[in-house]
Structures are given as structure tokens and as C-alpha cells.
Amino acid sequence: FVPTTEDVPSKITVKLESAHDLPPMDRYDLADPYVQLQVVYRIKDESKPKTGVSKTQFNKKQMGQSEPKTKTLEPRWTDQKPFEFTDKLGVTEFTDKLEAIVCFKVWDKGDLSDGQLSDDFIGDAEMPLEDVLKAPGHKLTKELEITLSDKSNKSLASLVVRTGQPRVPRLCVSVSISYEKSDAEASQPEPEPV
């Protein structure tokens, strides 16, 4: 099935799977990670390098957020329900000037016992929905490299110096797009068999 402009995406489903090699964010060299996610639309600007997701692109009213996993650098969200988003613009309507992306922000939950009063930003990642549309069955499972914040990068560098192991923080996610026929197409009767 190849989507056309006659097809309307009914939902975008995002399933968080796991994260790997996160930087330590507390004094015990661990973290309490959780993920915020949202489908965002932005104008493509080929002249600027990709540097992560800006804070202004997140709309808290339409944001999904996972449960935090405690004391781990390798969290798994196997018990987390998938997040569902309604595609407001229609992913098949994109031009060469507009792109839709699932954005992920990884945070460390603040914990008073660790001396943390607020949540710390670990880093972000993104998956273009164009990649999902090209995948078989419009479903894609992928490991995304996490672009770290300055603080997270220093924390990870410190751990690498002590352990001698190079690490690349990653987030594993599954994203799918499901379609329903447009109103005009849905109202047409099915052809009778001959």
C-alpha cells in the first residue's frame, strides 16, 4: 500500500523500547531517565546543520511522557503503553519545504536523596516520519543516536575515562503510521464481484 493525497493518516503510534549507554547523572554514576516525545512539523532549512530539537517546538498540551526508570543507564520501557498522536497536517502532504519528525527528549528525574532539586536534560533524538513512510508496512524500529547536552557530555566523558569504554548513547523506538480512507473515498460503495 502506497499512501496518496487521498489517504488521511489516522494516527502515528510511537513505542519506546529502551535506551543504552546513557551518561551517569547522579553521584552514584546512575540516572533516573524518562522520555518526552511529540510529533512536530518544521520548515526544512538545508543551510543549517542538524543540531537537535529546539525547546520551542514542544507543545506541552500534545506531549507524551514515559514513566521514569530508576537507577539505570540502560532503561527498558517494556511496560509502557504506546503513545498515539493524530497527524494534523497529513504526512503525505509534505513538500520539499516541510518535514514532520517524532522528537524525543531524554531527561533525568530529580531526586532529593541524590541532591537533585530539578530534572536534568540528558539529550535529544529525532526520527523523520518520511523514513517511516518508506519502511515496509509503514512501521520502523530504529536505534537513534542521542545528541547530549553539555552537562551530559561531560558526565559521559568522565565515565569513559574511568572505564576506558567508548559509549554512544542511543534510544530504541518503534514508530508506525496507520491510514484510513478519506471521507469521499469511504462513502463510495465497494464494487460488486463479477
Side-chain angles (χ1 to χ4, degrees):
F1 169 70
V2 177
T4 68
T5 55
E6 298 299 316
D7 295 301
V8 180
S10 58
K11 65 182 174 184
I12 298 162
T13 304
V14 182
K15 174 77 173 115
L16 289 176
E17 305 286 348
S18 57
H20 305 281
D21 294 320
L22 293 179
M25 300 299 289
D26 63 26
R27 60 182 161 196
Y28 305 108
D29 283 343
L30 293 170
D32 302 315
Y34 67 92
V35 180
Q36 290 177 333
L37 59 148
Q38 185 180 26
V39 176
V40 297
Y41 303 89
R42 69 181 180 203
I43 295 172
K44 290 182 183 179
D45 186 352
E46 302 299 334
S47 65
K48 292 184 180 177
K50 300 230 181 221
T51 57
V53 181
S54 73
K55 290 182 180 179
T56 57
Q57 290 175 318
F58 277 77
N59 176 344
K60 290 187 178 180
K61 290 181 181 176
Q62 295 182 13
M63 184 183 296
Q65 181 172 309
S66 74
E67 291 295 320
K69 297 297 179 180
T70 56
K71 307 295 181 207
T72 182
L73 302 180
E74 304 282 329
R76 299 186 67 77
W77 286 280
T78 53
D79 54 345
Q80 180 77 49
K81 289 184 179 179
F83 297 92
E84 293 184 352
F85 300 93
T86 301
D87 179 29
K88 298 201 181 337
L89 295 184
V91 292
T92 56
E93 298 293 331
F94 296 156
T95 67
D96 57 348
K97 305 237 183 260
L98 185 68
E99 61 186 346
I101 301 147
V102 183
C103 298
F104 303 89
K105 285 186 173 284
V106 185
W107 294 85
D108 175 44
K109 185 78 177 158
D111 185 352
L112 290 177
S113 66
D114 291 338
Q116 276 183 276
L117 299 177
S118 62
D119 297 356
D120 287 326
F121 179 57
I122 295 175
D124 56 22
E126 56 185 51
M127 181 187 284
L129 285 177
E130 186 176 359
D131 293 353
V132 181
L133 280 174
K134 292 176 183 175
H138 307 299
K139 182 175 182 175
L140 182 61
T141 299
K142 190 172 182 181
E143 274 195 353
L144 306 171
E145 190 170 319
I146 298 171
T147 304
L148 296 176
S149 70
D150 288 344
K151 180 179 179 182
S152 299
N153 219 354
K154 289 176 188 168
S155 180
L156 183 64
S158 170
L159 182 67
V160 170
V161 166
R162 292 195 310 265
T163 64
Q165 295 179 344
R167 294 171 178 252
V168 178
R170 303 169 317 281
L171 183 66
C172 184
V173 299
S174 293
V175 179
S176 63
I177 300 172
S178 61
Y179 288 84
E180 59 185 36
K181 298 291 181 188
S182 66
D183 291 340
E185 206 171 331
S187 64
Q188 294 179 356
E190 291 287 323
E192 293 191 22
V194 180

